[in-house]
Every structure is written in structure tokens, then in C-alpha cells.
């Protein structure tokens, strides 16, 4: 031992100190198991409560007996944090979501009780924008459909695959110009697209044309890109009228939430050829995808992966920890979800 | 009739004049039928010779009897203009190609005889760059593979599809920084990629790091993008060593010509997992695609369509006409293919 043992009443030996430190770590209630690296990160700074590990009691029993003093919970993925859960947690002050969209959290109840909610902030914005652009390129230039054609051995037999359409010069309407929408715009400008947008209000620092009305935006767009949050106001913001306003070559890309679009109407428009195509990462009843879409060549179907790469998941984990540390240190949160 | 009939020997009536005008239009020899709109464009300015319409004689017979005074030919698509054809055309001064790559034209023989060759210039550069980026996004983010997964109904049964990898931050090496490569670089900068390049010589006006050696470029790249011309010097420029230099996560994108890559070695590397993936628009023996590739999930296969949209085809038609008009007016050609 190269240091003298601690003396005096203030500090115990190393073992005792560690025990005390663990006891002193702030409690963090987890919903759904995190990935091993994220779990490791959280365990360094928090005493973790894991209701799914307690086989002898229900979640409700666990919450009402073990989590009455819990001030913060972290919600992994899209685990539903509903009013029933919130009711069991009288001391709760913070819900940390690891996703961008927080429609799986009962925001109204949180607001009523003054519980703060944070999301992944910009962690996923670049990857989400990349997938939006990838889906758009795929739909316009028919990449997945052409790949199927080659894999089925049809090229030597049937000859040239039908042409797609040029991305440059397209009028692209972005609905929700937040972190993701801004990254989409930056990328599509490099392809020579003409960007305009719709959001709750005009952004003074943004030069792109603003449309206060989604229908007007659609009528002036060849492509619509959805990347915004699902709220009561944005539920089915894309209805049949908006879809038809784009015209029969119109393309819609959705990397936000399925219920931003009236999915039944979208399917009908695609099947009838009333719009040109769609690139979808999200659906109203995931993981169920409407069967009619599975056989269409003018759609590209992604299994809710827009935001997710190992890189973005790591970034969102760091953001969650940073929000938690700020909260317990009494500092401002890094990515609070603002009231509508 | 509101104008007096022409008098004197200089001009005939309208009908005769039109006939004379057609006779006076410069001759243009076509190889392979153009699209109807392009044919219409050409017919306005040229008297067209169409060997494929003459069923009573061979192409050689046609050329040696009907095309001895022909000064210009337009080559549609990738029709082979070989030394045998050139030998039959003693007056030929110009070959107008409608493609970017001109490896289907016997350039050595053209050079020897002083026959100028023009290509599509920048007409296809944007679309070609768009497909290169689309293929790269698809390989990295596994878009086509995920689309197959959803279409096969596996999402509800097998759960989450494996993650892809983030595009931003990737080191992208572009081989051949011409019209297409420059457009690729512009797009990928907006995604946060780090660009470097290899070409015959360093370009003084370009700030990206230059590698004079393809192997060194590969060793410093996560992604290689091929968009350059196929020449004797670039044949199999990507061999096994270059592929392995990228490492096992390396991705290669080819929108140039199949034979830029040693395809057998590429297939071996992909099958064995010695590189990460490939996005291919071109192959060594088109339309035949190596069978081993058809079952791999880490490749995206496109049937030689990189350059082609209705928009780019129209642009290349205009470029061909502009080159022909410049030639017959004795003005500089717009997109001459320069000597190596």
C-alpha cells in the first residue's frame, strides 16, 4: 500500500467508501433494458432500479414499494410511459427519453405535474436526415426496385429497367424544420433541390419559403418530407387532400411517425397511382406494414431505422446521461422537450 | 398569297426551297436508333443516314456506298464504333458520343486519323453523382436489404433489422475527380464526409487531399467511389490489394465502368467478408452479373442506370446537337474527349 490508510471519522476504508458512494449515487428508474454499453455508462453515475428484473412482483408493485422517492426515470426506446406509471411515482421530476419523438410519454400528465421531459435532442438528426435523403433517392431513382430486378435475373432477359427521375430541380417541402428537417435541407441543397417548409411558425433565421398551410406547401412541392413530432395537432396532418395536392408524380417521405399520415389514404393513393411514390420508415401499426405496399415497386419500406446507427445510439446515450447529470446538479437541461 | 413570288434565278418557290434546304443540311450518320425526341431534334438540323433501316444491304455495304462523304457520325448509347466501321468512312472527322465514357469508340484509331470525339460532357454528371450517393447510402444504411426484410414479412416475426453505419465522418476516396466525381464530392461534403481523391494528376484548384497512388488512397479511406473513364491505364485499377487496403468495413461504389475493378477479386472479397460492401451500377460482362452477388445482403446492384433519367438524356441530346452544330460551323467543340 503506497498511501497511508484514511484516518479520522470523515472517511472510511476504500471498501466502505465505495459502498457509501454507491448508496449516495442518485436513483435512476429504468424502463426497458438498455444496451450493454449504455447500461455501463448509466451504472457509473446512478443507482439503477430495474423493474423488469423483479420477477416476484408486478411493475406496479415494484414502483409503489421501491420507487417512491425516485426523482428521475430513463425511458429506453419507445417504452410507453403512461399516466398509470406516472401515478405510481409521486416524487418524479424528470423523464429522460432516448428517442427524438416522445409521443410514447404522456406529455399532458407530465406538464400538469411539472415533470420535465428531455429527448435525444440532435443526436439522431444527421442519421435520420441521411435516411430521408436515401429513401428519396431510392424512390426517385428506383434503386431498390432495380436491385430486385437484377437479383431476379431479369436484366439479361427483359433488358433495360425503366428510368427513374432526376433529384436536382425538384421542389421539396419539408414539414417540421427542426434538427432533422434542417439537416435534410442542408443535404438536398447540395443536390440542387428547391426547399420550402411548413412548421408551427415561420423561423426568422431561415431563408426558405414558408407555408403556414400544409396543403399549400404540397401544392407547390414535388416531394414532401415528414420528420416532425407526432402530436394532437400533427396527427394525420397528411390526409388525402394533401397527398393529391402534390399531383400524380408526387413523392412522400416519412421518417417522423406513422400517424402523421392517414395511412389508409396513402395506401389507396399509391395503389391507384394517384401519387408517384413513397419512402416510409414509420407506419401507423408497427411492425405491421399494410400488405398492399409489399408488392408495389414505387415504395421503399424501412423498418423504423431512420435514426439508428451505432454512432447515433452512442450519441443519444451520452445526451441522456448529460441531461441526468445536469438535473441532479441543478443545472439547465440540455434537450428539454418544449411545450407545444 | 401575301408576298410576291420570288423572281430571278437565285431562289425558287417555297416547295423547291425546302427541298433544297433538306439537301443542303449536313449529313449525319447514326449508329443505333435514337429515342423519338432525340431523333426529332437531329432531323431538324441534319440529313440523317440510318444504316439499320437498309434491310437490303449489310452495314458495311451501306457505309461503302452511301456514307463515303460523311464527315460526322453520332453514336447512340454504347454502340461499338470499331476500326472496321472507321475504315469504311474515309471522310469522317467527328464522332459524337451520347455517353460520358467512350471506351466503346476506338479512340486510338480516331487519334491516328485526326478524328475528333465528343462525349456527353457534364450532361449526366449530376444524375450519376446522385446514384453514387444513393448506392452509398443504401449500402451503409442497408436500405435495399431492409426493404427486402419488410417485404418478406420478417419484421413482425424476427424483430429489429440489424443496424447500418453512419455516413457522416466517413473518409471517402474518389477515383477520377472529373465532372461526376466533383458532383459526388459536393454532395458528400453536405453529409459531413471527409473527401480525398486520386486522378491522373493533382488538380491545382481542388483543396481535397490528393493521392497519386490508388493503394494509398484506399488505405486512407472507408469508402472508394469510382466514376472515371475506362482506359488502358485504368483497367482493373482496383485489384485485390487495393480492396484489402480499405479494411473489412470498406465499401466500394462503382458508377464508372465494370472493368475498372477486377470483378472476380471483388466477388471473392465480398463473399469472404474481406470488405464491408459494394454498390455497383456497372459490371465486367453486362448484363451478366456474377451469381454470387445476387444473394449477398451487403451489395446493392443497379442495372447500369447511373447516368440515366429523362432529364439527363434530354441534356445529352442537346449537348450532341450543340457539338455537331459547332463542328459544321467551324467553331470549337463543346465537350471534346481529350487525349490521355
Amino acid at each position: 500500500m503506497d498511501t497511508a490508510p484514511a484516518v479520522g471519522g470523515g472517511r472510511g476504508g476504500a471498501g466502505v467508501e465505495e459502498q457509501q458512494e454507491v448508496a449516495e449515487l442518485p436513483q435512476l428508474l429504468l424502463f426497458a433494458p438498455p444496451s450493454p454499453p449504455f447500461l455501463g455508462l448509466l451504472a457509473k453515475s446512478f443507482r439503477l432500479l430495474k423493474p423488469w428484473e423483479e420477477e416476484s412482483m408486478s411493475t406496479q408493485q415494484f414502483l409503489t414499494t421501491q420507487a417512491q422517492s425516485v426523482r428521475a426515470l430513463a425511458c429506453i426506446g419507445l417504452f410507453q410511459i403512461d399516466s398509470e406509471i406516472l401515478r405510481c411515482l409521486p416524487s418524479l421530476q424528470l423523464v429522460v427519453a432516448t428517442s427524438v419523438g416522445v409521443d410514447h410519454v404522456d406529455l399532458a400528465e407530465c406538464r400538469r405535474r411539472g415533470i420535465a421531459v428531455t429527448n435525444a435532442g440532435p443526436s439522431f438528426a444527421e442519421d435520420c436526415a441521411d435516411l430521408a435523403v436515401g429513401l428519396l433517392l431510392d424512390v426517385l431513382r428506383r434503386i431498390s426496385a432495380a436491385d430486385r430486378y437484377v437479383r431476379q435475373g431479369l436484366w439479361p432477359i427483359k433488358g433495360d429497367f425503366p428510368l427513374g427521375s432526376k433529384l436536382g430541380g425538384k421542389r421539396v417541402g419539408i414539414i417540421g424544420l427542426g434538427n432533422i428537417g434542417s439537416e435534410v435541407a442542408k443535404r438536398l441543397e447540395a443536390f440542387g433541390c428547391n426547399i420550402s417548409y411548413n412548421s408551427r411558425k415561420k423561423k426568422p433565421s431561415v431563408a426558405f419559403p414558408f407555408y403556414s398551410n400544409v396543403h399549400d406547401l404540397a401544392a407547390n412541392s414535388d416531394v414532401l418530407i415528414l420528420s416532425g413530432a407526432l402530436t394532437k395537432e400533427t396527427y394525420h396532418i397528411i390526409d388525402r387532400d394533401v397527398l393529391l395536392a402534390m399531383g400524380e408524380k408526387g413523392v412522400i417521405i416519412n421518417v417522423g411517425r406513422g400517424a402523421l399520415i392517414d395511412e389508409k389514404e396513402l395506401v389507396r393513393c399509391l395503389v391507384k397511382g394517384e401519387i408517384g411514390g413513397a419512402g416510409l420508415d414509420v407506419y401507423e401499426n408497427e411492425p405491421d406494414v399494410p400488405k398492399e405496399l409489399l408488392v408495389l415497386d414505387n415504395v421503399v419500406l424501412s423498418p423504423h431505422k431512420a435514426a439508428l446507427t451505432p454512432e447515433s445510439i452512442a450519441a443519444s446515450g451520452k445526451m441522456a446521461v448529460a441531461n441526468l447529470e445536469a438535473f441532479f446538479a441543478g443545472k439547465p437541461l440540455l434537450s428539454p422537450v418544449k411545450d407545444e
Side-chain angles (χ1 to χ4, degrees), chain A residues 27-301:
Chain A
Q27 281 187 321
L28 176 64
L29 175 63
L30 289 178
F31 278 103
S35 66
F38 187 32
L39 185 65
L41 201 65
L42 292 171
K44 278 186 194 167
S45 305
F46 307 101
R47 187 157 69 82
L48 302 176
L49 304 185
K50 305 169 186 169
W52 67 90
E53 285 188 350
E54 301 294 331
E55 288 175 6
S56 62
M57 55 179 104
S58 70
T59 300
Q60 195 175 358
Q61 281 176 316
F62 180 92
L63 298 182
T64 49
T65 58
Q66 313 286 313
Q68 291 301 289
S69 62
V70 157
R71 293 170 62 205
L73 77 78
C75 164
I76 310 299
L78 300 182
F79 192 95
Q80 288 282 334
I81 306 295
D82 55 21
S83 60
E84 206 167 323
I85 286 176
L86 294 171
R87 204 179 302 128
C88 299
L89 299 167
S91 308
L92 194 69
Q93 293 174 285
L94 176 67
V95 173
V96 169
T98 54
S99 56
V100 180
V102 286
D103 43 289
H104 54 300
V105 177
D106 187 336
L107 292 179
E109 180 62 10
C110 287
R111 200 176 305 134
R112 199 185 61 73
R113 282 189 35 200
I115 299 169
V117 179
T118 64
N119 70 358
S123 312
F124 292 117
E126 293 183 351
D127 282 329
C128 208
D130 287 356
L131 196 83
V133 174
L135 290 174
L136 177 55
L137 273 166
D138 194 326
V139 173
L140 287 178
R141 298 297 303 278
R142 317 191 67 191
I143 297 174
S144 294
D147 177 86
R148 277 197 296 280
Y149 188 79
V150 173
R151 284 174 193 263
Q152 289 165 4
L154 296 176
W155 189 16
I157 298 166
K158 287 191 162 186
D160 286 348
F161 187 73
L163 297 180
S165 174
K166 187 184 176 82
L167 176 54
K170 288 279 187 296
R171 300 167 304 160
V172 177
I174 298 177
I175 297 172
L177 200 69
N179 287 319
I180 301 168
S182 302
E183 292 288 343
V184 170
K186 183 174 120 188
R187 285 155 177 72
L188 289 182
E189 279 202 294
F191 288 84
C193 295
N194 301 309
I195 312 288
S196 40
Y197 75 105
N198 162 267
S199 60
R200 284 190 297 274
K201 45 191 174 181
K202 188 173 179 349
K203 295 175 190 282
S205 62
V206 171
F208 303 128
F210 169 73
Y211 289 84
S212 60
N213 179 296
V214 173
H215 189 278
D216 292 346
L217 179 69
N220 289 284
S221 297
D222 304 306
V223 174
L224 287 180
I225 298 185
L226 295 165
S227 61
L230 178 63
T231 63
K232 275 182 189 168
E233 290 71 32
T234 60
Y235 176 83
H236 283 194
I237 191 172
I238 306 296
D239 58 17
R240 179 170 172 79
D241 281 351
V242 172
L243 290 168
L244 295 181
M246 287 195 293
E248 64 180 19
K249 290 191 175 170
V251 169
I252 191 152
I253 304 295
N254 191 1
V255 293
R257 284 289 182 271
L260 293 171
I261 306 180
D262 183 336
E263 192 168 89
K264 275 189 187 164
E265 291 298 342
L266 173 65
V267 169
R268 196 179 302 177
C269 286
L270 286 165
V271 169
K272 286 187 174 176
E274 292 172 314
I275 66 170
L280 305 173
D281 185 53
V282 286
Y283 311 86
E284 283 207 59
N285 301 302
E286 296 172 11
D288 291 328
V289 175
K291 277 185 188 158
E292 299 91 328
L293 299 183
L294 304 183
V295 294
L296 292 183
D297 254 5
N298 58 341
V299 299
V300 183
L301 304 169

